[in-house]
Each structure stands twice: as C-alpha cells, then as structure tokens.
Amino acid sequence: MNKKLLIDLQNTPKHVAIIMDGNGRWAKGKGMNRIFGHRNALTAIRESVKAASQVNIEAVTLYAFSTENWNRPKLEVDALMSLLINSLKKELPDFMKNGVRINSIGAIENLPKKAQKVLTDVITETKNNKDIVLTFALSYGSREEIVNTIKNISKKVVNKQLNIEEINEKTINNHLYTFNLPDIDLMIRTSGEQRISNFLLWQMAYAELYFTNTLWPDFREEHFYDAIIDYQNRERRFGKTSEQITE
Ligand code: FPP
C-alpha cells in the first residue's frame, strides 16, 4: 500500500528534525567498519528529503555532526568531512532540480576550510530554491548555540542597542542559528535510542518525538511516512486541554 495516501496533506509538520543514528551498528552487523555505515546513510537522506517534499513539508534539519562528534577517532572524523564535501558536490544538480535550498547551523568555522567552501558554495547556488529547505547541523550543539545567543544578546544590551525589558522569546529565536526557520514540529530519531542529545533544545519545546528501531542506513520513504502518520495521530495541545483543542 502507498503510505503517502494515508497522510492528510493539510496537517503535515512544517519542520522535521532528524537524528540519523545507527550507522555504526548497521555497518558492524554486516561485518564492515563504521565508515561503511556513514557512506550508506546517503540514500536515507535522499529518500527522506524526497518524501518530505512530496507531503509539503517546508523544512528538514539533519543532525549530521555534533560538537561531541569531534571526539571520535580522527579517521572517522576525516571520513565524515570527506563524505560531506563529496556528497554536497554530487547532489547539487538534484538539489537544483528538486527545489532544495541548502542551509547550515552550527559552528561552521570549525569545519575544515574545504568543507566550509563547498558548503558556502552550495548554500549560495541553491539560495533561490523554494520547495524545501534542507539544513545540515554541523559542529552543532544546542547548549553552545544557547550560550552564543546569550552572549550576542548581552553585547547588544551593553551597547545600548537593546533594553533588557524588551527581551522576549522572539529576541531569543532571532539570535539562534535557526532564526530563519520555523519551530520543530516533529523530531525523528532512528536506531532505538530515545534521547535528544543536545539537538535543538529550545526549538523542540513543543515538538512531537518519534523513535524507531530502524537503523538510519535502512530508513526509506515509507519509514518517513510512518513517522508523519504517527504525528498526525497525536493531539498537540501546547499546554491547553483536549476540549479546548477540539472545540
Ligand atoms: C550516527 O550514527 C551518525 C552520525 C554521528 C553521523 C551522521 C552522518 C551521516 C548520516 C552521514 C552523512 C553525513 C554527512 C555529513 C552528509 P553512529 O555513527 O553514531 O552509529 P552508532 O550509534 O550505531 O555507532
């Protein structure tokens, strides 16, 4: 059965965040090294973005490399950076064809120069694409993002550009890496782990969380639709009562 048909296109999440977990275990299960798992993660990314586009989702954000991932063996870090560089280059024609705008969040200045250059080029090339925005979280940590936000807002207060009394949630939103993205409606994490792992803590305040045992390299369009169907069966109350929502 085509699972897409079960989806109410008027009620899809605007912004889906994905923690792509399980590459290492997937590879190990095949007697291969972890890098083999990362290489096989790309199909899952392609399928998820394609599926998201088909059900009118505006934004998908992928946790591609966390601040903590720098502590992995150098060989694995180097392989992930090469994979990033090569896949961004390789996928560019498809991004153009499918109206995908590329964006990034995180301490991009910590990436190798070559990765920064390719990323900036792809962001520039795709900047007028309108169908979906695909954000790569790279060298990203939510607590670090919040610390930076506080520093930047404080500087404005010290420079008298901003009055303390004027600071509200919008001020914070506007200073996060995600200033130009909607809040997260749905967070998907693969591989059975049920954690948020320092990903978009502020932005996920009211997100629905979806966990699946599927390992990321096995994740396909139909798995993505399963998550959306599950989301559509939830009642998002935002602190209100069920009666208030259904009225
Ligand atoms: C988690 O699996 C995955 C990562 C830490 C990296 C995510 C990277 C990709 C999906 C590859 C594509 C990358 C880019 C930058 C385009 P894990 O290694 O933690 O798996 P494990 O929990 O089974 O060990």
Side-chain angles (χ1 to χ4, degrees), residues 21 25 189-194 210-216:
D21 201 3
R25 276 162 285 165
R189 183 171 190 152
T190 55
S191 89
E193 308 292 351
Q194 303 198 354
Y210 178 85
F211 300 101
T212 169
N213 288 332
T214 305
L215 301 174
W216 180 251

Side-chain angles (χ1 to χ4, degrees), residues 85-103:
I85 294 167
N86 296 333
S87 25
L88 282 174
K89 279 189 196 161
K90 189 164 156 252
E91 298 295 322
L92 180 59
D94 275 356
F95 294 149
M96 299 310 291
K97 194 171 89 196
N98 299 323
V100 182
R101 177 164 73 80
I102 299 300
N103 179 41

Side-chain angles (χ1 to χ4, degrees), residues 126-185:
T126 60
K127 74 175 194 299
N128 294 323
N129 291 350
K130 299 262 184 301
D131 289 345
I132 190 163
V133 51
L134 175 61
T135 300
F136 289 94
L138 291 160
S139 192
Y140 176 86
S142 188
R143 287 185 170 184
E144 185 182 84
E145 177 183 35
I146 292 170
V147 169
N148 282 336
T149 297
I150 293 172
K151 281 186 184 163
N152 289 331
I153 293 175
S154 306
K155 278 184 206 155
K156 289 190 178 168
V157 171
V158 170
N159 294 336
K160 303 214 182 316
Q161 287 167 276
L162 190 65
N163 191 326
I164 285 191
E165 303 311 321
E166 285 166 13
I167 297 175
N168 55 26
E169 291 189 11
K170 209 164 167 202
T171 320
I172 309 227
N173 274 324
N174 290 342
H175 287 80
L176 292 167
Y177 290 130
T178 50
F179 68 94
N180 52 0
L181 292 169
D183 270 357
I184 307 295
D185 299 304

Side-chain angles (χ1 to χ4, degrees), residues 2 7 30 78 106 181 232 245:
N2 185 350
I7 293 174
K30 297 194 159 6
D78 290 349
L181 292 169
Q232 295 193 328
I245 301 297

Side-chain angles (χ1 to χ4, degrees), residues 44-61:
I45 297 181
R46 259 181 237 119
E47 293 237 346
S48 300
V49 176
K50 187 172 148 215
S53 244
Q54 298 211 6
V55 295
N56 306 335
I57 289 169
E58 288 174 21
V60 171
T61 296

